[in-house]
Amino acid sequence: IAVSANDDITFTDSSKAIFGAGSDLQIYHDGNNSKITENGTGDLFIGSDSLNIQNSAHTEYMAKFLADSAVKLYYDNVQKFQTTTGGVEITGDADVSGEVQVGGQGSNFSENNLRFKSAGAAYIDHNTVGQSFIFRVSGSSSLDTTALTIKSTGEIQANDYGSGNNTGTEAYNLAVDSS
């Protein structure tokens, strides 16, 4: 078949462009969905130094794959995920149903848990000058109660110290022994 410039090859629904002696590669539309099927013994390779996946109108990106560079994923044409030389960058929130492993010693973040394994010192850093660390808890009658604040000056404020059920005994409060 010789196809000239501006000529089309038209296939009806469910008609396939078939490649390979064993129908290894098929490109077709089944009446509802467009499909590329690779049935051969090898893999399907798509080669490009800049591969872009867009919506059908070609007005929004869904993914970009750049040679020797980044993989970028989009939501509603806004980049949300990118691979970098140092790892990955996520723009927005990440909803993780399992654990996030950090480093080679098994430290992890998971729902309601931050755990550091016993391999050297553990740090929680806050590198914005003049801001505090605030630890919050949710009680049965109120949400997001500030339980402890470590101020940028090093001062510690325990908000419920000596009030309610926290009677000021060491069993319920922070005790500092200077000896």
Side-chain angles (χ1 to χ4, degrees):
I1 298 176
V3 180
S4 302
N6 298 320
D7 285 348
D8 294 331
I9 299 175
T10 303
F11 296 86
T12 61
D13 287 346
S14 298
S15 294
K16 300 175 180 180
I18 298 175
F19 304 86
S23 300
D24 298 329
L25 175 64
Q26 302 175 13
I27 302 173
Y28 63 101
H29 182 77
D30 67 6
N32 294 310
N33 301 294
S34 299
K35 299 180 178 183
I36 300 174
T37 303
E38 198 291 314
N39 290 318
T41 57
D43 297 325
L44 174 64
F45 288 87
I46 300 173
S48 175
D49 287 337
S50 179
L51 176 64
N52 299 303
I53 299 176
Q54 296 181 311
N55 65 351
S56 61
H58 295 283
T59 58
E60 292 187 5
Y61 287 102
M62 298 184 329
K64 290 183 180 183
F65 303 87
L66 308 172
D68 301 322
S69 184
V71 171
K72 301 178 181 184
L73 302 179
Y74 294 76
Y75 178 85
D76 198 17
N77 207 37
V78 177
Q79 183 180 318
K80 295 295 182 178
F81 181 91
Q82 174 178 320
T83 59
T84 67
T85 57
V88 297
E89 292 178 0
I90 298 174
T91 302
D93 296 334
D95 187 356
V96 179
S97 63
E99 292 185 352
V100 176
Q101 298 291 323
V102 181
Q105 301 298 323
S107 296
N108 67 61
F109 299 98
S110 59
E111 189 170 349
N112 299 325
N113 183 29
L114 167 60
R115 177 171 294 163
F116 298 100
K117 297 294 181 172
S118 57
Y123 299 95
I124 300 175
D125 291 328
H126 189 320
N127 62 2
T128 304
V129 176
Q131 292 190 358
S132 302
F133 263 117
I134 300 173
F135 294 87
R136 304 180 97 176
V137 295
S138 296
S140 60
S141 61
S142 64
L143 296 176
D144 294 335
T145 301
T146 299
L148 178 70
T149 303
I150 302 174
K151 298 183 178 183
S152 62
T153 60
E155 179 183 338
I156 297 175
Q157 177 182 340
N159 290 357
D160 286 338
Y161 184 79
S163 67
N165 290 333
N166 300 326
T167 61
T169 65
E170 292 181 2
Y172 296 103
N173 298 290
L174 175 67
V176 178
D177 185 351
S178 61
S179 59

